[in-house]
Structure formats: structure tokens, C-alpha cells
Amino acid sequence: GAAMGTGAFTSVEADREVSVDVQNDQNSYLALEPVDADGDTVDEGRTPEAQSDPFAVIDEDTGRLNLNITALNSEAETVIDNVFQIANFGTDEVTVTIEQTGADEDVLSFEDQDGNSLDEGEGVDLDDGESLIVRIIADTAGVDPGDDIIDSITVVGNGRGDGS
């Protein structure tokens, strides 16, 4: 009897070239950019009279968006419109949420300019090429002056994963 081959193999090793580039927050798939009072993207966000630094700025060393809000009233609700923009430069729709870590994660909430929540567990859908402007709502009831409110935020863009 003639032996028939099965086409099976024990191992394969195939080298391929890969190109991976890391971009700053302004030029990445999910881009983050400071905006001015009108919601137009700028190098540095607007600086209110009560603080010396802008609300949002791209760090020159890291290329990452940094937020700086230093003059919230205690025992008050403060709404800060036009803090930064999130743009989807990928090729698919994503659901954008903002996760936060810190001392009191219930103090800040995040919305788009239409009032849709960006908080974890909710989110806003962004098609490829679309963007939204983020506003921050701070409710400092029960927060003493000098208390730490938040350590960091993570902007998350989750794709649908079905190619549509």
C-alpha cells in the first residue's frame, strides 16, 4: 500500500516585518485634544481667571493630555464646558467612556456637549471621523477644601468587534 501524506507538520517559523508607531494623544486613533471656550481645538485649553494653568494641555514631554482643575467651590455643583475633545480617527465606530480612579470618584462626572454621560457603564457612540467635546460636572457636597478628588482618568474607546 502506498502511504498518503496528511499535510500535517510539526512546526513553522515565519518572520514578518512589523511597523508599530506610538503617537501623542492628538494624533492617535482615539485622539484627545484641548479646546478653547468655543470648543475649537487648540494647543492649550482655556485658562480661567481663578487658576494659572489651562484646564487641559498636551504635555510636551509625554504627548499625553493633562487635566488641571484647581479652583472648584466647596459644597457646590460646578459645570465646566469645553474641557477637551475626543476624536475617533480609527476606521470603526467605538463607544467612548471615561473611567476614573481617585479618592472620591463620585465627585466628578463626564458628559458630551449634548449632556450624554461618558461615565463608566454608559458612554457615547462615535463613528469613524466623529468627535465630541467633553464637559466636567463637579459636585463637591461633603468635600473639604484641600481634599483630593481624583487621581486619574482613562478614556476608553470600545469597538463593536463585528466589523459593522
Side-chain angles (χ1 to χ4, degrees), residues 42-157:
V42 293
D43 290 334
E44 291 187 352
R46 70 185 194 284
T47 304
E49 299 256 345
Q51 65 184 52
S52 59
D53 295 317
F55 287 133
V57 63
I58 297 293
D59 184 288
E60 291 178 14
D61 295 328
T62 65
R64 291 182 286 195
L65 180 82
N66 288 335
L67 298 181
N68 184 39
I69 300 169
T70 61
L72 294 175
N73 293 70
S74 65
E75 299 295 326
E77 181 176 280
T78 304
V79 177
I80 305 171
D81 287 321
N82 301 335
V83 179
F84 66 98
Q85 174 181 270
I86 302 171
N88 178 6
F89 291 138
T91 59
D92 294 318
E93 178 182 89
V94 295
T95 300
V96 176
T97 57
I98 298 178
E99 301 171 358
Q100 55 182 304
T101 59
D104 193 345
E105 297 174 23
D106 295 327
V107 174
L108 297 183
S109 59
F110 301 87
E111 295 180 347
D112 70 3
Q113 64 271 27
D114 297 323
N116 300 305
S117 176
L118 294 165
D119 292 328
E120 189 174 1
E122 298 186 42
V124 173
D125 293 335
L126 274 185
D127 275 331
D128 58 309
E130 287 187 333
S131 62
L132 61 83
I133 305 295
V134 176
R135 72 174 166 199
I136 296 175
I137 297 93
D139 184 353
T140 57
V143 178
D144 293 325
D147 282 356
D148 288 333
I149 294 174
I150 189 170
D151 292 328
S152 67
I153 65 167
T154 303
V155 178
V156 178

